[in-house]
């Protein structure tokens, strides 16, 4: 076995023995396959990323949906465009209902602003005119009814989106006045009285607000669930299509491989002997991969058995060429790793890792079997 290295497995005279046109056609087919595989790999990564994110982050979209309804939805999942259109219509309808609630709130606001004590709160506080030098130190966010009215009438998208936003600003008007002015002052008492009246009227509208919020939450959950199911359906279809395309690529690759083998010279007896000896120099991991290559064209070959007897002479030309390519690359990689000192701790690893020890033992058994077969062939009389 000494003296066997990657140089024994040079790929001289391996190429197809056809004309230049045929060789160019083969190269073109290989290039097309490589490009197609690259694109397929990107799509595979996209599908894997989707399912990985789905497994990490499980949205609670079934909060208001029973499992039966969920299964019914899976039977028919509408397309993304239809879902987006339905979502847009739902948002428009929800915005219209919210506008109605804000209109009803406007009635309450008018009742409060028409009260005889509302005049101090109708316009922004004249801080400079009244000499209130500490006002902005005490009040973080000034508010008044004219500012609220302008926000309610805004049409450029900067207005209120929810009735609770208006409610919060109205309360802020009175809270600011109560915070800055002394409890015994008229402004403080006026603000406190109007706040109590306002909150009484708000409680009458609150059930409708709560009902609308619940409805909107359910609709948003419904939209989210439908979008999730649509995404799952789209990626499931993509996964199925990928499987079919990968099968086609594999079939085409196998055809090209067979074509190459039919146009290659046959491996000589000397090359077979060198190949058998080179197999004994592989690492346990690479040796297992080599045996898998044998098993691909020979389903009955016990690649994972504890003891394997590999007859090089009994292998097909396709298997021999694939082994030749693989062993050459593997030994080159092993040579580079050895020169860099990557296996300096291999003895310690084998001693501490029972899996490595077992793999090494199996490799030795396989190597012994290969050497045994080589000796048998050498004893055969030459023809």
């Amino acid at each position: 076995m000494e003296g066997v290295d990657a140089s024994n497995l040079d790929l001289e005279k391996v190429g197809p023995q056809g004309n230049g046109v045929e060789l160019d056609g083969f190269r073109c087919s290989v290039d097309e396959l490589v490009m197609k595989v690259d694109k397929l790999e990107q799509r595979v990564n996209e599908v894997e990323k989707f399912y990985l994110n789905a497994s990490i982050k499980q949205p609670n979209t079934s909060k208001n949906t029973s499992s039966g309804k969920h299964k019914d939805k899976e039977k028919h999942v509408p397309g993304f465009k239809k879902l987006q259109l339905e979502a847009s219509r739902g948002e428009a309808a929800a915005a219209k209902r919210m506008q109605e609630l804000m209109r009803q709130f406007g009635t309450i606001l008018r009742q409060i602003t028409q009260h005889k004590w509302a005049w101090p709160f109708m316009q922004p506080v004249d801080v400079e005119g009244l000499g209130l030098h500490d006002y902005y130190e005490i009040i973080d966010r000034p508010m008044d009814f004219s500012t609220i009215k302008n926000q309610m009438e805004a049409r450029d998208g900067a207005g209120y989106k929810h009735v609770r936003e208006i409610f919060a600003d109205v309360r802020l008007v009175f809270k600011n006045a109560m915070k800055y002015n002394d409890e015994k002052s008229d402004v403080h008492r006026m603000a406190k009285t109007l706040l109590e009246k306002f909150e009484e009227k708000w409680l009458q509208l609150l059930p409708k607000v709560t009902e609308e919020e619940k409805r909107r939450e359910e609709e948003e959950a419904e939209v989210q669930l439908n979008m999730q199911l649509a995404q799952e359906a789209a990626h499931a279809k993509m996964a199925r299509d990928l499987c079919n395309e990968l099968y086609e690529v594999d079939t085409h690759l196998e055809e090209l491989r067979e074509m190459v083998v039919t146009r290659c010279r046959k491996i000589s007896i000397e090359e077979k002997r060198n190949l058998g000896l080179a197999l004994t120099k592989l690492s346990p991991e690479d040796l297992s991969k080599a045996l898998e290559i044998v098993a691909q064209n020979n389903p009955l070959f016990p690649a994972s058995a504890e003891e394997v007897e590999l007859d090089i002479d009994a292998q097909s030309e396709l298997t021999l060429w694939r082994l030749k390519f693989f062993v050459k690359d593997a030994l080159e990689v092993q040579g580079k790793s050895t020169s860099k000192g990557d296996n300096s701790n291999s003895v310690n690893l084998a001693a501490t890792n029972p899996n490595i020890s077992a793999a090494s033992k199996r490799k030795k058994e396989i190597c012994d079997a290969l050497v045994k077969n080589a000796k048998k062939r050498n004893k055969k009389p030459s023809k």
Side-chain angles (χ1 to χ4, degrees), residues 86-327:
E86 291 177 355
S88 179
R89 289 174 178 173
E91 290 175 1
K96 189 175 182 179
R97 295 194 303 269
M98 184 56 66
Q99 287 293 330
E100 173 60 22
L101 286 175
M102 288 193 284
R103 186 193 66 79
Q104 296 179 32
F105 185 89
T107 302
I108 298 175
L109 188 59
R110 281 193 299 273
Q111 293 174 354
I112 296 299
T113 55
Q114 290 173 1
H115 194 279
K116 61 181 180 179
W117 288 350
W119 62 268
F121 317 109
M122 298 303 296
Q123 299 296 328
V125 175
D126 186 5
V127 176
E128 293 184 3
L130 297 174
L132 307 177
H133 305 299
D134 61 346
Y135 187 81
Y136 294 115
E137 297 177 5
I138 299 174
I139 302 303
D140 297 327
R141 182 169 170 258
M143 185 56 61
D144 64 278
F145 287 128
S146 65
T147 301
I148 293 174
K149 182 181 179 182
N150 292 335
Q151 280 279 90
M152 291 180 67
E153 295 175 352
R155 293 289 183 269
D156 57 354
Y160 294 112
K161 302 296 189 300
H162 198 291
V163 68
R164 284 189 183 273
E165 296 176 358
I166 317 175
F167 166 75
D169 279 354
V170 172
R171 289 188 81 249
L172 184 62
V173 172
F174 299 129
K175 288 290 185 180
N176 283 348
M178 294 167 63
K179 182 178 181 180
Y180 186 78
N181 295 278
D182 185 80
E183 293 183 4
K184 296 180 180 180
S185 67
D186 290 340
V187 174
H188 185 101
R189 288 197 298 267
M190 293 163 70
K192 184 176 181 181
T193 301
L194 289 178
L195 178 59
E196 291 174 354
K197 291 181 178 297
F198 167 69
E199 289 184 337
E200 287 178 3
K201 295 181 179 297
W202 167 255
L203 289 176
Q204 297 174 7
L205 182 63
L206 185 58
K208 293 182 179 180
V209 176
T210 304
E211 181 181 355
E212 172 59 26
E213 289 173 334
K214 182 179 179 181
R215 179 177 177 179
R216 178 172 291 195
E217 182 182 352
E218 291 176 351
E219 289 177 350
E220 289 177 353
E222 187 83 0
V223 170
Q224 187 178 358
L225 174 61
N226 288 336
M227 292 298 291
Q228 179 186 343
L229 293 177
Q231 288 181 335
E232 291 177 356
H235 283 82
K237 182 180 182 302
M238 187 185 298
R240 290 193 297 270
D241 293 342
L242 281 171
C243 287
N244 294 332
E245 293 181 53
L246 287 170
Y247 176 77
E248 292 176 2
V249 169
D250 190 55
T251 302
H252 193 185
L253 186 62
E254 188 64 30
E255 292 173 354
L256 290 175
R257 188 183 292 125
E258 292 287 351
M259 185 182 77
V260 170
V261 171
T262 57
R263 286 163 174 75
C264 286
R265 62 173 176 77
K266 290 189 176 183
I267 292 182
S268 65
I269 296 176
E270 180 67 17
E271 287 177 307
K272 290 181 182 179
R273 186 184 71 83
N274 290 335
L275 177 59
L277 295 175
L279 285 169
T280 65
K281 284 192 165 292
L282 293 177
S283 66
E285 181 180 357
D286 286 335
L287 185 57
S288 296
K289 292 179 181 179
L291 295 178
E292 289 174 3
I293 292 175
V294 176
Q296 287 177 5
N297 289 326
N298 186 2
L300 299 179
F301 181 74
S304 58
E306 292 185 2
E307 291 188 14
V308 176
E309 185 172 341
L310 176 61
D311 187 355
I312 293 292
D313 292 329
Q315 305 308 313
S316 66
E317 288 295 317
L318 174 59
T319 299
L320 291 174
W321 277 114
R322 291 182 65 188
L323 281 175
K324 189 179 177 90
F325 297 148
F326 173 78
V327 172

